[in-house]
């Protein structure tokens, strides 16, 4: 499955990738060489820490390369009165009599703790394309479903203010 990313997501990922390749990689290799010169590798914490950091950087480089290579580029454009990517949506949970705000974002910017959800999540899927006043049904796992009413839509754009998730 391909991740749906905006052109700005790919730009941010490419910038991070370039930084990791050009700046971090040489620094980390030098740190490994320096720590290796300290002697006995079996008890050399500095060497093990430097190797771990170098390996984490290489892993992140592979992850970013794969995400960029396999991405499906999507537009964040939507109708002026419809829920779309990067919009903040105020919803009413009828069962709980509570209001909450969600922002619809791409997969590399999602964070459930910050109420940033993707269009493929159950809530995101139910909200996408709907308008203020619409009541939608969210279908979760095991067939459980519940209604949400859209109370407000604050249009948003991919301005780069939300960082790419680390993993």
């Amino acid at each position: 499955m391909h991740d749906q990313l905006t052109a700005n997501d790919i730009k941010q990922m490419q910038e991070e990738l370039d930084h990791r390749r050009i700046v971090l990689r040489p620094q980390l290799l030098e740190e490994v060489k320096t720590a290796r010169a300290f002697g006995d590798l079996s008890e050399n914490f500095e060497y093990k820490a430097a190797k771990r950091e170098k390996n984490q950087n290489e892993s992140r480089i592979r992850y970013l390369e794969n995400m960029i290579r396999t991405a499906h580029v999507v537009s964040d454009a939507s109708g002026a009165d419809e829920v779309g990517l990067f919009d903040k949506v105020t919803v009413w949970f009828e069962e709980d009599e509570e209001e909450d705000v969600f922002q619809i974002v791409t997969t590399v910017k999602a964070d459930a703790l910050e109420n940033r959800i993707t269009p493929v999540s159950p809530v995101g899927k139910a909200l996408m394309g709907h308008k203020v006043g619409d009541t939608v049904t969210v279908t979760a796992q095991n067939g459980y479903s519940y209604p949400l009413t859209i109370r407000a839509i604050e249009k948003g754009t991919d301005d780069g203010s939300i960082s790419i998730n680390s993993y």
Side-chain angles (χ1 to χ4, degrees):
M1 180 176 151
H2 300 285
D3 284 289
Q4 294 184 343
L5 307 175
T6 63
N8 195 35
D9 288 338
I10 292 174
K11 178 181 168 241
Q12 283 181 295
M13 293 172 87
Q14 188 62 52
E15 288 170 357
E16 180 183 347
L17 182 59
D18 292 343
H19 174 75
R20 286 181 176 278
R21 284 180 179 156
I22 297 166
V23 177
L24 279 180
R25 184 182 271 163
Q27 283 177 344
L28 295 172
L29 285 172
E30 191 59 38
E31 287 176 18
V32 169
K33 284 181 191 177
T34 302
R36 184 181 195 102
F38 292 154
D40 185 9
L41 297 182
S42 65
E43 295 182 16
N44 186 338
F45 174 77
E46 290 84 2
Y47 175 73
K48 290 177 184 174
K51 285 280 287 188
R52 184 177 338 108
E53 195 170 340
K54 177 189 137 324
N55 291 340
Q56 286 173 340
N57 186 57
E58 294 301 319
S59 176
R60 180 68 175 175
I61 288 171
R62 285 189 303 274
Y63 169 78
L64 292 169
E65 288 171 339
N66 186 52
M67 290 295 289
I68 292 168
R69 184 177 60 253
T70 62
H72 179 255
V73 180
V74 295
S75 170
D76 60 353
S78 62
D81 58 348
E82 295 178 342
V83 176
L85 266 179
F86 298 100
D87 294 347
K88 289 185 179 180
V89 185
T90 304
V91 296
W92 176 254
F93 288 86
E94 294 177 14
E95 291 179 358
D96 300 331
E97 295 188 359
E98 290 182 7
E99 189 173 83
D100 211 344
V101 178
F102 295 98
Q103 185 174 21
I104 312 294
V105 296
T106 55
T107 54
V108 294
K109 294 183 177 182
D111 184 348
L113 298 176
E114 297 289 328
N115 279 2
R116 291 193 307 257
I117 60 174
T118 68
V120 295
S121 68
V123 173
K125 191 182 299 184
L127 293 174
M128 288 297 288
H130 288 276
K131 301 176 181 184
V132 173
D134 288 355
T135 298
V136 298
T137 302
V138 177
T139 304
Q141 292 178 345
N142 302 327
Y144 175 73
S145 62
Y146 55 93
L148 290 180
T149 301
I150 300 173
R151 289 203 163 164
I153 301 170
E154 180 185 331
K155 298 306 283 179
T157 59
D158 187 9
D159 59 7
S161 63
I162 303 171
S163 62
I164 301 290
N165 295 339
S166 56
Y167 279 105

